[in-house]
């Protein structure tokens, strides 16, 4: 079991609008980001983040770039019972179609002990382009991944078929125009994730030369 972060020293009080926020230097944060790795969903077990830790995760998730300050996203929480119910309903949907691969894919949803659903909820019409609103919703997912790792938990950002299927989205309670930005699966890794191939720096980075 990995060590978990002590959150007692965090200032969780609401910060008033307009409060100066000086930059904080953190080598630990840089090291965490340089070595960040998602934990495969089937390896996530107990313990899951506590209720207090989930609330901290969500507060961190909300601190993302958000052009226009419109918040084009929302987060859906699950209890262990409601997540199990969701799996049952999605499995029934897949089996009603005779789709065994879709039913099997639900292992990624059923195994981790906790999950958060980040819903992309665009504000329309609005002067902020939709692609920027999508980016803000995706940033929420990334913040949740990083924060979960900093707490000592494993996390995985998943979409899969039930994020795109119309009937599945209805089961999830998505409104017209909303999309699944991602499910964030949470738990304690039962095995250390292995490093994967990373993009070649020289191939992806260049200088603009005019």
């Amino acid at each position: 079991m990995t060590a978990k972060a002590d959150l007692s020293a965090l200032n969780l009080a609401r910060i008033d609008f307009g409060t100066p926020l000086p930059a904080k230097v953190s080598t630990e944060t840089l090291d965490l980001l340089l070595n960040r790795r998602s934990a495969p969903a089937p390896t996530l077990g107990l313990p899951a983040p506590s209720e207090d830790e989930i609330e901290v995760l969500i507060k961190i998730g909300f601190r993302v770039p958000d052009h226009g300050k419109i918040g084009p996203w929302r987060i859906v929480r699950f209890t262990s019972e409601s997540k199990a119910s969701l799996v049952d309903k999605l499995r029934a949907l897949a089996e009603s179609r005779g789709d065994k691969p879709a039913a099997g894919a639900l292992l990624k949803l059923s195994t981790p002990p906790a999950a958060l659903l980040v819903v992309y909820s665009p504000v329309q019409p609005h002067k902020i382009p939709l692609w920027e609103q999508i980016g803000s919703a995706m940033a929420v997912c990334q913040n949740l991944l990083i924060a979960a790792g900093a707490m000592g938990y494993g996390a995985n950002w998943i979409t899969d078929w039930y994020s795109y299927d119309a009937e599945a989205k209805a089961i999830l309670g998505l409104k017209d125009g909303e999309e699944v930005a991602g499910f964030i699966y949470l738990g304690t890794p039962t095995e250390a994730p292995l490093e994967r191939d990373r993009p070649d720096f020289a191939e992806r980075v260049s200088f603009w030369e005019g």
Side-chain angles (χ1 to χ4, degrees):
M1 181 186 300
T2 57
K4 302 298 188 290
D6 179 6
L7 305 185
S8 62
L10 296 180
N11 179 13
L12 301 179
R14 181 178 179 86
I15 302 172
D16 292 332
F17 176 78
T19 299
L21 297 174
K24 294 183 178 181
V25 176
S26 173
T27 303
E28 287 186 357
T29 301
L30 297 176
D31 183 68
L32 175 72
L33 292 170
L34 279 170
N35 295 279
R36 197 207 69 78
R37 174 73 170 95
S38 296
T43 71
L44 295 176
L46 292 170
S50 67
E51 287 295 308
D52 288 344
E53 289 171 324
I54 290 289
E55 289 190 9
V56 173
L57 282 175
I58 292 174
K59 288 179 179 179
I60 293 172
F62 284 177
R63 297 190 73 87
V64 293
D66 175 17
H67 189 186
K69 298 182 282 296
I70 56 178
W73 27 255
R74 61 187 179 89
I75 291 180
V76 178
R77 299 182 61 176
F78 300 92
T79 64
S80 57
E81 293 79 14
S82 67
K83 187 164 81 71
S85 175
L86 173 62
V87 172
D88 289 342
K89 290 180 179 180
L90 293 175
R91 182 177 291 111
L93 176 60
E95 291 176 348
S96 71
R97 302 168 175 173
D99 193 337
K100 291 184 178 179
L106 294 171
L107 180 67
K108 292 181 180 180
L109 175 58
S110 62
T111 301
L116 294 171
L117 167 59
V118 180
V119 177
Y120 165 55
S121 187
V123 179
Q124 292 183 284
H126 202 280
K127 66 179 181 180
I128 304 302
L130 287 179
W131 71 268
E132 290 194 17
Q133 297 188 41
I134 293 170
S136 184
M138 296 303 180
V140 173
C141 295
Q142 183 70 354
N143 263 21
L144 292 171
L145 282 185
I146 294 170
M151 285 184 182
Y153 293 99
N156 202 293
W157 177 358
I158 293 285
T159 49
D160 224 307
W161 68 269
Y162 40 88
S163 297
Y164 309 106
D165 182 273
E167 291 184 77
K169 290 196 294 183
I171 291 172
L172 292 170
L174 267 63
K175 305 169 186 174
D176 288 345
E178 290 187 331
E179 300 290 346
V180 172
F183 281 87
I184 307 299
Y185 298 146
L186 301 162
T188 297
T190 56
E191 57 188 71
L194 303 177
E195 177 63 305
R196 64 168 179 79
D197 288 337
R198 301 291 173 178
D200 181 82
F201 189 92
E203 290 180 356
R204 301 298 181 98
V205 180
S206 63
F207 286 97
W208 185 76
E209 297 178 352

